[in-house]
Amino acid sequence: MDINILYYLIPSLFMFCCGLYGFITRRNMIAILISLELMLNSVDINFAAFNRFMYNDQLEGMFFSLFAIGLAAAETALAIAIIINVFRVSENIDVDDVVKMKN
Amino acid sequence: MSPVIPLLILVIPLAMFLFLGLCGHKMSHRWAGILGTTGMGVTMVLAYITAFTYFFSGDPSFIDADTHTRLQAILFNQDWLNFYDKLVIRLGFLLDPIAALLLVVITTISFMVHLYSNGYMRDHHGVWEKGFQRFYAFLSLFSFSMLGLVVATNIFQMYIFWELVGASSYLLIGFYYTKPSAVSASKKAFIVTRFADLGFLIGILILSYYTGSFDFTDFTSAPVGGPDSTVYRIDPATPSHILSVFQNSAAPIFMGGSVLTWALVLIFMGGMGKSAMMPLHIWLPDAMEGPTPVSALIHAATMVVAGVYLVARLFPLYLMEPVALDIVVVVGAITALYAAIVACTQIDIKRVLAFSTISQIAFMMVSLGVARPEFHEGLGYMAGMFHLFTHAMFKALLFLCAGALIHAIGSNDYTAMHGLRKYMPVTHITFLVGCLAIAGIIPFAGFFSKDEILTATGEYSTFWYIWMSAVAGLTAFYMFRLYYLIFWWKEHKVPEGHHTPHDQPWTMTLPLVILAAISCVAGFVPMGNLVTWNGVEEVTNPNFFTNLGNLNWGVASVSLAVAIVAIVIATIMYRKENPLPAKMKAALPHLWEWAHHRFYWDELYQFITHKIIFGCICKPIAWFDRHIVDGTMNGMAYVTNKISYAIRGFQSGRIQLYVLWYLIGAVVLAAVTMICVLC
């Protein structure tokens, strides 16, 4: 069986749509963060796949994936820190209820 | 002559204005009055020294002894505004015959008025008028501006001081600023003269645009002894060079007249405004709302002759365009007759004098207009200046007498006076002298100057000669009508509870006596020796009787006869209470009605400004501004506001909504791109 690029792109698209759907519809901040990670990971897959299939002699896509993973880890740490602080203030991590900074 | 004295002539009144204006309210009334009067007295002495040095010293920078020609000397000329080397506004001091003459006239009258106001500006109990110090400050400001105007070396300096006299006139007319009529009169005077000055400014701009200069000496004169000389003489070659500059310019003809004619007529329009010529005369009668000494100084003797002075100053240039001079004659002659007729029917004595002033200034204008070098060496120019001088003296006298009467009676109308000759003998005699002078009875001042004017007019055209003689007769008639109605007519009845009228304190009577004395002898001043259009002396060895010897007895006897007949008619009609005036009024009801209402000029102006200009032009413009211009702006703001309210829900602060919208936008864009690519 010949594995072509679509075998990577279609799951990646599916992951991205799941992430997008979750990002828009979820109310829990942790869930939103997970959705965001899902989208990032789907993009990482795309980078790796395009690099592998289209520019086989180069490594920029791979490195970009690694870079994005590192970035995602840092961003997750930051986001969780914010969420913890929000939880300490309002006992709740539902985005609809965190409206203290509005107005 | 060192520039110190001329400089002081300008600096002292200015310093008085600043000092009295800033510190006056801290001083006592008496000291403010004494200080102002002394300052003006010193200025008067300095002006006399300057004028006498100019006329009689024989200094080679003032007179060319070989040709008996009086010269124009620039005593100092300071750069004031230096825009770039071609456009420099200078302030300076030009001394020539008319400037020296005006220096004498202005400082004399101004000093008399300063002195007189010490008595006039307080009531019978010695209580000073409110704002007395302010009054003296404004008088000083006016004197400074008027002196600066007459010694101007360039037309721009003249314009600056021209506006300054207008402003000080405005301040003084509105001196009683709690009185609505005084406030509206001051506004009227300012607006009408400002309107006229618009023409003046355009004229200045045309003239200086083509000639590249503001200096009077560049318009009319040639330097004596080298181009760097500060001494000039009137030279007809210079104005004819300017004429050729205009003729060789790009557009020599504009709307049926040469550009130079237009420039001169526009400059004359400024003069018409200041000198109250028809149809811009409407402000002067209303200006009588000001204190009477102000009327004597500004609205009889000095400021209102600024227009005459302006034409005289540029006279060699006017000679190049006789059409402009003909316009001056027509405007002057019509104004003279109009004002004389109106003066016959007014009840307010100051109004009679105001219309008389308009009429007499018109005489001067006519005189300048008829002056031509080919008629008697420009006799009209000399006559106009002569009349300016004599008229300033006797009209100031008449106004100050009117002030004394008003001060004693407390009313401006002759109906409240009648038969005052026994109560106020000094005022009576001096007023009579003034009337005789203005009527032109030998040997009083007005006789000589009016005779010269009529002679000059007769040389120019017989029609205007007859016209002006008739006006001179009317002058004698209305002045004696006024005289008899004030001092004779019927016995004065003092209403109960009022004090009997009496002559005023010496500060008020002394100026009257001095001015009356001047009015008796001013006619003998040999003006032909002093003031001529080109500076050449007509009479080289004058004596006291020169003017009498040079009379044209043909003209003189006719004008004397006309004046005497007019006085006799006035005597018959008004000396004793009788029904003749009422009968005459009944015989000519329409003429009387029209003259009494000043031929409805004010109503005409009211109609034109309110109905036509405000109603038909300003109202639509205001509507356009309010509804279209403002409406566009307000509409834009309104629409923005409404849209903002409508879409502000998008700015919810919810990231998820933003993402949703972003997603929808991206999908739509992608769809549109796809459709575009596929189709």
Side-chain angles (χ1 to χ4, degrees):
Chain A
M1 192 173 83
D2 187 22
I3 307 288
N4 64 22
I5 192 166
L6 279 180
Y7 286 76
Y8 296 93
L9 291 189
I10 289 166
S12 157
L13 179 65
F14 181 69
M15 269 170 76
F16 188 84
C17 290
C18 288
L20 195 60
Y21 178 76
F23 189 84
I24 293 171
T25 54
R26 291 283 113 183
R27 290 291 172 262
N28 188 309
M29 285 191 198
I30 302 283
I32 291 172
L33 190 60
I34 291 170
S35 309
L36 193 66
E37 290 302 315
L38 215 51
M39 285 194 285
L40 272 172
N41 283 341
S42 79
V43 174
D44 287 347
I45 292 172
N46 277 13
F47 271 122
F50 279 114
N51 190 322
R52 177 71 183 76
F53 282 92
M54 299 182 79
Y55 304 99
N56 205 5
D57 51 341
Q58 289 168 7
L59 288 172
E60 272 91 345
M62 298 299 178
F63 280 120
F64 216 93
S65 299
L66 288 173
F67 187 63
I69 289 165
L71 205 70
E75 174 235 300
T76 308
L78 197 67
I80 287 178
I82 292 172
I83 292 167
I84 289 171
N85 276 303
V86 168
F87 181 75
R88 281 184 183 158
V89 172
S90 61
E91 301 277 314
N92 197 347
I93 50 168
D94 196 318
V95 281
D96 283 348
D97 295 340
V98 185
V99 290
K100 215 166 212 170
M101 303 232 278
K102 212 172 162 184
N103 304 325
Chain B
M1 190 173 184
S2 83
V4 176
I5 291 179
L7 198 58
L8 277 178
I9 291 177
L10 295 179
V11 166
I12 292 175
L14 180 62
M16 278 301 150
F17 162 63
L18 294 175
F19 185 71
L20 289 174
L22 294 173
C23 317
H25 60 283
K26 295 205 177 83
M27 304 167 70
S28 74
H29 293 76
R30 178 183 302 278
W31 280 104
I34 290 174
L35 188 66
T37 311
T38 316
M40 204 57 231
V42 173
T43 313
M44 179 176 77
V45 171
L46 293 176
Y48 280 7
I49 292 172
T50 311
F52 279 83
T53 314
Y54 178 77
F55 281 126
F56 303 119
S57 70
D59 187 310
S61 64
F62 295 147
I63 185 162
D64 183 355
D66 298 334
T67 53
H68 294 288
T69 306
R70 297 196 183 276
L71 305 171
Q72 296 180 307
I74 293 180
L75 299 183
F76 62 86
N77 207 9
Q78 185 63 37
D79 287 6
W80 182 58
L81 275 181
N82 198 339
F83 292 106
Y84 69 106
D85 58 349
K86 285 274 171 50
L87 182 60
V88 185
I89 311 293
R90 296 191 184 87
L91 294 184
F93 197 106
L94 173 69
L95 196 57
D96 73 342
I98 50 173
L101 178 75
L102 264 285
L103 282 181
V104 171
V105 169
I106 293 162
T107 52
T108 309
I109 305 292
S110 185
F111 177 67
M112 295 303 158
V113 165
H114 274 75
L115 185 59
Y116 180 90
S117 304
N118 280 305
Y120 184 82
M121 298 304 278
R122 56 198 294 194
D123 67 14
H124 298 288
H125 310 294
V127 177
W128 303 87
E129 197 82 56
K130 188 169 169 287
F132 182 80
Q133 295 96 329
R134 181 166 54 92
F135 180 75
Y136 268 84
F138 289 161
L139 279 186
S140 300
L141 174 65
F142 172 78
S143 306
F144 161 69
S145 323
M146 194 66 209
L147 291 166
L149 191 157
V150 296
V151 301
T153 55
N154 57 69
I155 200 164
F156 211 95
Q157 181 186 353
M158 195 176 208
Y159 187 70
I160 293 168
F161 284 100
W162 186 275
E163 293 304 332
L164 266 176
V165 288
S168 37
S169 155
Y170 166 79
L171 291 169
L172 284 165
I173 296 169
F175 180 73
Y176 299 123
Y177 59 81
T178 50
K179 225 165 81 181
S181 60
V183 172
S184 55
S186 63
K187 278 193 290 192
K188 187 175 181 183
F190 195 72
I191 292 167
V192 172
T193 50
R194 274 302 307 152
F195 173 72
D197 294 345
L198 178 69
F200 186 20
L201 182 61
I202 297 171
I204 291 175
L205 293 179
I206 296 174
L207 198 58
S208 51
Y209 175 76
Y210 283 99
T211 57
S213 172
F214 290 122
D215 291 343
F216 288 125
T217 46
D218 287 350
F219 299 146
T220 59
S221 326
V224 176
D228 292 332
S229 165
T230 57
V231 178
Y232 295 81
R233 72 187 301 162
I234 301 282
D235 187 352
T238 313
S240 53
H241 170 69
I242 287 175
L243 179 66
S244 67
V245 167
F246 272 88
Q247 279 167 347
N248 296 331
S249 64
I253 298 293
F254 177 75
M255 282 173 53
S258 77
V259 175
L260 183 57
T261 309
W262 275 104
L264 292 174
V265 168
L266 283 168
I267 289 175
F268 175 60
M269 181 182 158
M272 279 164 71
K274 270 281 183 280
S275 291
M277 293 291 108
M278 280 228 305
L280 298 170
H281 65 280
I282 53 159
W283 65 272
L284 188 57
D286 286 27
M288 296 300 132
E289 287 293 341
T292 310
V294 169
S295 311
L297 175 62
I298 302 185
H299 306 119
T302 54
M303 187 188 83
V304 286
V305 297
V308 180
Y309 183 78
L310 176 63
V311 176
R313 179 52 86 202
L314 290 172
F315 184 72
L317 207 53
Y318 274 92
L319 273 184
M320 293 298 124
E321 293 288 353
V323 182
L325 280 179
D326 294 340
I327 291 172
V328 174
V329 173
V330 172
V331 169
I334 291 173
T335 309
L337 181 63
Y338 160 79
I341 291 174
V342 174
C344 293
T345 57
Q346 297 299 305
I347 291 169
D348 182 333
I349 60 173
K350 281 182 81 180
R351 295 260 155 127
V352 177
L353 292 176
F355 278 103
S356 155
T357 304
I358 296 176
S359 177
Q360 296 298 307
I361 294 166
F363 261 92
M364 301 171 207
M365 283 290 186
V366 169
S367 178
L368 284 179
V370 299
R372 299 284 190 281
E374 58 270 25
F375 304 151
H376 262 311
E377 307 291 327
L379 173 70
Y381 182 90
M382 186 278 272
M385 289 296 115
F386 195 9
H387 199 58
L388 189 158
F389 170 65
T390 56
H391 170 258
M393 300 301 165
F394 59 67
K395 188 51 69 63
L397 167 64
L398 289 168
F399 262 107
L400 294 183
C401 286
L405 292 164
I406 292 165
H407 198 251
I409 302 297
S411 166
N412 277 16
D413 295 350
Y414 62 65
T415 46
M417 297 175 182
H418 295 325
L420 281 175
R421 65 187 179 285
K422 285 174 196 155
Y423 298 98
M424 305 176 73
V426 178
T427 314
H428 172 219
I429 297 298
T430 49
F431 196 89
L432 179 60
V433 169
C435 287
L436 287 170
I438 195 173
I441 301 298
I442 194 165
F444 296 97
F447 168 74
F448 293 96
S449 51
K450 198 170 281 180
D451 172 64
E452 302 281 12
I453 291 178
L454 292 176
T455 310
T457 315
E459 299 260 358
Y460 170 78
S461 116
T462 316
F463 173 71
W464 292 123
Y465 167 68
I466 295 168
W467 177 294
M468 295 313 285
S469 297
V471 176
L474 265 178
T475 308
F477 173 73
Y478 69 68
M479 282 318 297
F480 272 85
R481 166 181 175 272
L482 186 64
Y483 164 73
Y484 284 120
L485 284 173
I486 293 172
F487 293 105
W488 298 76
W489 188 248
K490 61 184 180 190
E491 285 307 306
H492 189 76
K493 294 229 169 39
V494 182
E496 270 188 43
H498 281 64
H499 60 90
T500 27
H502 55 83
D503 271 321
Q504 304 299 328
W506 70 270
T507 45
M508 286 171 75
T509 46
L510 184 67
L512 298 185
V513 173
I514 295 173
L515 286 172
I518 295 175
S519 301
C520 291
V521 297
F524 294 102
V525 173
M527 202 57 79
N529 176 259
L530 305 176
V531 178
T532 50
W533 77 275
N534 54 3
V536 179
E537 293 178 356
E538 280 171 15
V539 188
T540 45
N541 287 313
N543 60 41
F544 188 73
F545 296 105
T546 300
N547 283 354
L548 214 51
N550 282 1
L551 277 181
N552 180 341
W553 279 105
V555 175
S557 47
V558 170
S559 68
L560 202 55
V562 168
I564 289 171
V565 167
I567 293 173
V568 167
I569 294 172
T571 312
I572 294 169
M573 285 175 72
Y574 295 106
R575 186 170 178 278
K576 287 219 173 72
E577 196 172 6
N578 68 50
L580 269 177
K583 268 186 198 159
M584 196 168 151
K585 185 176 151 186
L588 299 164
H590 296 295
L591 183 62
W592 190 89
E593 192 68 18
W594 276 66
H596 185 68
H597 289 104
R598 311 179 219 163
F599 291 83
Y600 296 100
W601 270 100
D602 288 83
E603 285 75 5
L604 181 66
Y605 268 89
Q606 195 80 4
F607 176 75
I608 289 174
T609 51
H610 282 73
K611 289 273 154 49
I612 296 179
I613 296 180
F614 292 174
C616 301
I617 300 173
C618 300
K619 259 197 194 153
I621 291 175
W623 186 89
F624 184 83
D625 185 52
R626 229 158 266 154
H627 292 88
I628 308 294
V629 178
D630 288 5
T632 311
M633 290 298 152
N634 290 344
M636 279 160 71
Y638 178 81
V639 168
T640 312
N641 203 356
K642 281 288 152 194
I643 291 175
S644 306
Y645 270 101
I647 63 172
R648 74 175 183 165
F650 289 119
Q651 298 285 336
S652 60
R654 287 186 185 159
I655 306 292
Q656 289 168 315
L657 266 182
Y658 295 176
V659 172
L660 184 61
W661 281 111
Y662 174 77
L663 184 66
I664 292 170
V667 168
V668 168
L669 265 180
V672 169
T673 316
M674 212 114 131
I675 290 164
C676 287
V677 169
L678 291 179
C679 302

